[in-house]
């Protein structure tokens, strides 16, 4: 990794090893406004959804760029294709600028500069990010801003040397001349250059205002390219800073194939980070974890586990094999084996599965067990309660220490409305019981196996609803004779 300053006054700057490992001590937001370009259609995605709204490892593609410029005070987003949909999906605090017709990245910048929202902009520098480069790292951005502002350069941009530069703009440097040439405009020779443009730039605002109207569309795509500003600055003998960064950090997403590549790379990063923090993985190649997920040290994640969305796994848990956990919290020491957990909370010591389905709105207290072929939905289940097998608990509130035996269910739906079942502390629900809601089962009561309970059961009572059993003596012998 190296970087340097190219220009008339400074010549080639010193090559500095690597980009800063820790953020440089600068006031990030000082003097710098940020703009994310997100107006493009994303034609190569072959999808109706605007590109920047595609989910990448559990987050909208554009959220990654937004996070990176979080500390910048003034943020603009250029939207165009499906602008309404994109704006609706993003925070209102952003300054949206509409690029009605998408005539290229340079055109997007000219639209920004002409917009009345930009008229009061007080910054000296403009940081430009594409909306489709999710692995950008904020240290690299801070480093870029620092290098440009410290050297009072006109432009700085991030580049990377990559194994497969196909599709990216190439950074062509010759005899102190520098320009960016798009894949489609490259000569055979230029195509072999392996240093690519990230699409991430820090521009002096004055320069942008002066030169933006000097872009033209004489290129293979007939678009105004922001990248031509590099060549223009070079011709004007302005100082240009290049900061080389890791290949992964500037991977762009233009197609489903690249979306998959980025998710792969993000996943590797995420798992490596968790391993560094003391999380065990049996098989990272069959484990899928969104970049939004949190896992604490001491937890073991077994093969074929999928952890998605805003999921948080506490310490010392055992997850999987074959666990799928979406937007849920799992407390310390819990086990989730061969089960699906959606939008729920499991307190410490939970034992889930094998083959349980914890559906949205389940809140399981400490040491709750939900075992094989049991399902819970929108229910609060108190500390130490057990639903060990073959049961359904929906729209219910169970106190502490409740035993909910095999085959028992809450009959929560009358075909029109959902009703609630209340089961108080220490109640024992026998096997194959139907609790027809709304109904309350009192504290420390017992329900006889096979009962269909339609009336409340008082505390400490036995609720039983069952015909008397008849035994017909000698029946089988008589039957045999008649056969
Ligand atoms: C761009 C760069 C290329 C670089 C690559 C890095 C240009 C001409 N090329 O190519 O050098 O290697 O990014 O990923 O800039 N957009 C608009 N309005 C438009 C066109 C695009 O807002 O009129 C937005 C897109 O939504 C996207 C970003 O600008 O977020 C980049 O556009 P895209 O078409 O993806 O450019 P690339 O071909 O990837
Ligand atoms: Ca792109």
């Amino acid at each position: 990794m190296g970087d340097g300053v190219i220009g008339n006054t400074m010549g080639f700057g010193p090559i500095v090893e690597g980009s800063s490992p820790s953020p440089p001590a600068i006031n990030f937001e000082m003097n710098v406004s940020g703009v994310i370009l997100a107006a493009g259609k994303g034609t190569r995605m072959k999808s109706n959804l605007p590109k920047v709204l595609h989910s990448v490892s559990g987050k909208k593609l554009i959220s990654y760029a937004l996070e990176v410029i979080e500390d910048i005070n003034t943020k603009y987003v250029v939207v165009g294709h499906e602008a309404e949909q994109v704006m609706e999906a993003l925070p209102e605090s952003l300054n949206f600028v509409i690029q009605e017709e998408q005539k290229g990245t340079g055109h997007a910048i000219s639209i920004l500069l002409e917009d009345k929202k930009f008229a009061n902009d007080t910054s000296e520098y403009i940081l430009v990010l594409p909306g489709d480069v999710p692995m950008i790292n904020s240290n690299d951005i801070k480093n870029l801003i620092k290098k440009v502002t410290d050297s009072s350069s006109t432009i700085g941009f991030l580049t990377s040397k990559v194994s497969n530069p196909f599709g990216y703009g190439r950074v062509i440097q010759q005899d102190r001349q520098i320009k960016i040439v798009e894949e489609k405009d490259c000569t055979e020779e230029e195509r072999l250059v392996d240093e690519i443009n990230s699409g991430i730039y820090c521009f002096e605002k004055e320069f942008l205002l002066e030169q933006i109207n000097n872009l033209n569309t004489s290129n293979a795509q007939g678009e105004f390219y922001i990248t031509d500003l590099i060549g223009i600055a070079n011709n004007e003998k302005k100082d240009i800073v290049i900061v080389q960064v890791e290949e992964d950090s500037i991977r762009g997403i233009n197609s489903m194939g690249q979306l998959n590549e980025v998710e792969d790379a993000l996943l590797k990063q995420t798992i490596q980070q968790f391993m560094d923090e003391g999380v065990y993985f049996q098989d990272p190649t069959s484990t899928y974890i969104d970049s939004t997920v949190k896992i604490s040290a001491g937890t073991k994640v077994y093969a074929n586990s999928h952890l998605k969305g805003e999921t948080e796994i506490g310490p010392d848990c055992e997850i999987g094999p074959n666990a799928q956990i979406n937007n849920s919290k799992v407390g310390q020491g819990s086990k989730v084996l061969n089960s699906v957990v959606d939008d729920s909370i499991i307190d410490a010591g939970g034992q889930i599965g094998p083959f349980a389905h914890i559906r949205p709105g389940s809140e399981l207290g400490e040491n709750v067990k939900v075992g094989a072929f049991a399902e819970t939905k929108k229910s609060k289940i108190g500390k130490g309660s057990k639903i060990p097998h073959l049961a359904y608990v929906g729209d219910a509130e169970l106190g502490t220490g409740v035993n909910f035996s095999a085959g028992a269910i809450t009959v929560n739906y009358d075909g029109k409305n959902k009703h609630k079942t209340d089961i108080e502390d220490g109640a024992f629900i026998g096997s194959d019981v139907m609790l027809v809601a709304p109904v309350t089962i009192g504290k420390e009561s017992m329900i006889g196996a096979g009962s269909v309970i339609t009336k409340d059961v008082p505390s400490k009572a036995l609720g039983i609803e069952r015909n008397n059993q008849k035994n017909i003596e000698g029946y089988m012998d008589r039957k045999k004779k008649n056969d």
Side-chain angles (χ1 to χ4, degrees), residues 37-41 44 51-52 78 99 101-108 129-133 167-170 180-182 196-199 201 221 223-227 250-254:
L37 305 185
K41 186 165 178 216
R44 291 164 280 181
K51 176 161 77 174
V52 292
V78 181
Q99 184 193 16
E101 251 188 295
Q102 292 89 54
K103 300 188 205 161
T105 45
H107 180 245
L129 301 172
D132 61 352
V133 180
Y168 291 95
R170 307 297 203 281
I180 296 173
V181 183
E182 292 306 299
I196 61 159
N197 169 32
S198 62
Y201 324 83
Q221 302 185 82
E223 288 186 351
F224 295 97
Y225 290 166
I226 192 174
T227 46
I250 62 169
R251 275 178 192 278
I253 295 185
N254 299 307

Side-chain angles (χ1 to χ4, degrees), residues 446-458:
M446 179 180 255
I447 310 296
S451 302
V452 177
I453 298 296
T454 51
K455 287 187 280 206
D456 291 353
V457 175

Side-chain angles (χ1 to χ4, degrees), residues 136-391:
I136 331 167
N137 136 348
S138 67
N139 288 351
D140 287 342
I141 300 287
K142 289 178 185 177
N143 197 26
L144 173 70
I145 295 174
K146 180 166 169 56
K147 293 230 156 87
V148 173
T149 51
D150 280 1
S151 62
S152 303
S153 292
T154 300
I155 303 181
F157 64 107
L158 300 181
T159 71
S160 188
K161 293 217 175 195
V162 299
S163 45
N164 176 15
F166 179 80
Y168 291 95
R170 307 297 203 281
V171 181
I172 312 288
Q173 299 191 54
Q174 236 174 8
D175 308 326
R176 296 200 176 191
Q177 292 292 307
I178 173 164
K179 60 180 176 179
I180 296 173
V181 183
E182 292 306 299
E183 171 83 31
K184 288 182 177 149
D185 300 296
C186 277
T187 61
E188 284 297 307
E189 205 180 325
E190 286 166 341
R191 207 161 278 141
L192 298 176
V193 171
D194 64 354
E195 186 172 9
I196 61 159
N197 169 32
S198 62
I200 299 164
Y201 324 83
C202 179
F203 288 100
E204 201 177 42
K205 187 166 85 181
E206 264 325 294
F207 171 80
L208 277 184
L209 291 167
E210 265 166 40
Q211 297 293 344
I212 197 71
N213 293 323
N214 293 334
L215 296 179
N216 61 55
T217 56
S218 47
N219 52 57
Q221 302 185 82
E223 288 186 351
F224 295 97
Y225 290 166
I226 192 174
T227 46
D228 286 349
L229 289 167
I230 309 295
I232 293 176
N234 188 248
N235 291 339
E236 297 282 313
K237 307 207 183 318
K238 303 285 191 191
D239 291 331
I240 300 172
V241 183
I242 293 181
V243 181
Q244 272 187 13
V245 296
E246 295 286 346
E247 167 164 12
D248 268 349
S249 66
I250 62 169
R251 275 178 192 278
I253 295 185
N254 299 307
S255 62
M256 286 296 180
Q258 285 174 330
L259 193 156
N260 178 255
E261 278 170 22
V262 166
E263 280 195 332
D264 259 8
L266 278 170
L267 180 61
K268 285 201 181 92
Q269 250 182 26
T270 304
I271 290 184
Q272 186 59 52
Q273 199 179 326
F274 283 134
M275 290 197 291
D276 292 346
E277 290 165 3
V279 178
Y280 165 86
F281 290 89
Q282 182 187 34
D283 179 15
T285 62
S286 73
T287 302
Y288 299 89
I289 302 183
D290 281 348
S291 49
T292 40
V293 169
K294 297 192 176 100
I295 310 178
S296 302
T299 281
K300 293 184 168 146
V301 180
Y302 293 101
N304 197 26
S305 290
H306 301 242
L307 308 181
K308 305 272 174 201
E310 305 298 320
T311 289
E312 279 179 40
I313 312 285
D316 310 319
C317 293
E318 288 182 30
I319 306 298
N322 308 314
Q324 189 171 327
I325 306 181
N326 305 311
N327 300 312
S328 296
K329 286 198 169 70
V330 177
Q332 177 161 21
S334 293
K335 296 181 182 173
V336 180
L337 169 63
N338 276 297
S339 293
V340 178
V341 180
D342 294 318
D343 306 282
S344 290
I345 298 171
I346 297 167
D347 260 357
Q351 282 188 63
I352 311 303
F355 313 112
H357 191 183
I358 308 298
R359 289 174 50 205
S362 300
E363 285 178 39
L364 281 47
E366 268 176 51
N367 300 322
V368 163
K369 179 180 166 90
V370 181
F373 309 105
E375 178 172 302
T376 64
K377 187 216 76 175
K378 205 173 162 199
S379 292
K380 256 194 164 148
I381 299 169
K383 186 171 171 177
S385 288
K386 292 186 170 50
I387 308 169
H389 21 231
L390 298 161

